[in-house]
Amino acid sequence: MLKGLDPILGPDLLSILRSMGHGDEIVIADANFPAASTAMGGRLVRADGLGAPRVAEAVLSVLPLDDFVPAAAFRMAVVDRPEDVPAIATHFAQALKQAGYDGRIEPLERHAFYARAKAAYAIVATGETRLYGNLILKKGVIRPDAG
């Protein structure tokens, strides 16, 4: 345990988050997501038993989001109903707002989401059972203190 860190951020996930550079992306995946076959770089962290919004909240407590791009958060769009917003997206939005993100969560068609996930730096496989409980976050920078 470390002071000031969310206790669900284990050593493997903390190492990944610290190793990521500006523009790298991390996937927070639900239990149905093909995380093991999608993790091309072999960077897969298991977070079984934890919900995706809870994992997002923990990750966002230490991960700066990219503010040089129109969107730094992406969710999987509902198949055949891309205009629908699944309820879990509301929970992701709350975690993002709590972290200071005021941008939108960009919906991506399912196969486009999978393709983007394949290129991600890492995947966190959660135990989330709600459908469409998948989120991609783009890492930003921490600016030096002014003054």
Side-chain angles (χ1 to χ4, degrees):
M1 294 287 289
L2 295 171
K3 291 170 31 174
L5 287 178
D6 192 306
I8 72 168
L9 295 174
D12 294 337
L13 184 50
L14 281 172
S15 176
I16 285 169
L17 293 169
R18 179 63 178 96
S19 298
M20 291 172 67
H22 178 223
D24 284 339
E25 295 181 344
I26 188 164
V27 179
I28 298 170
D30 66 23
N32 289 304
F33 191 82
S37 62
T38 304
M40 301 224 3
R43 295 183 194 100
L44 173 63
V45 176
R46 303 290 319 181
D48 300 304
L50 295 170
R54 176 66 180 96
V55 173
E57 184 180 293
V59 167
L60 288 163
S61 73
V62 297
L63 185 77
L65 292 177
D66 196 340
D67 58 4
F68 293 125
V69 294
F74 307 86
R75 65 171 177 82
M76 186 182 291
V78 177
V79 174
D80 295 328
R81 294 190 326 268
E83 67 287 343
D84 287 2
V85 179
I88 194 165
T90 303
H91 298 284
F92 288 142
Q94 290 169 346
L96 286 157
K97 184 177 181 179
Q98 182 179 342
Y101 179 72
D102 59 2
R104 66 177 288 194
I105 304 174
E106 188 74 31
L108 297 175
E109 182 275 330
R110 178 176 160 234
H111 294 290
F113 189 97
Y114 288 152
R116 194 164 190 148
K118 275 191 182 291
Y121 190 85
I123 297 176
V124 181
T126 72
E128 182 59 61
T129 57
R130 289 174 284 182
L131 298 179
Y132 301 101
N134 304 298
L135 184 68
I136 297 175
L137 301 171
K138 182 182 282 291
K139 187 174 183 181
V141 299
I142 298 175
R143 291 179 176 79
D145 291 310

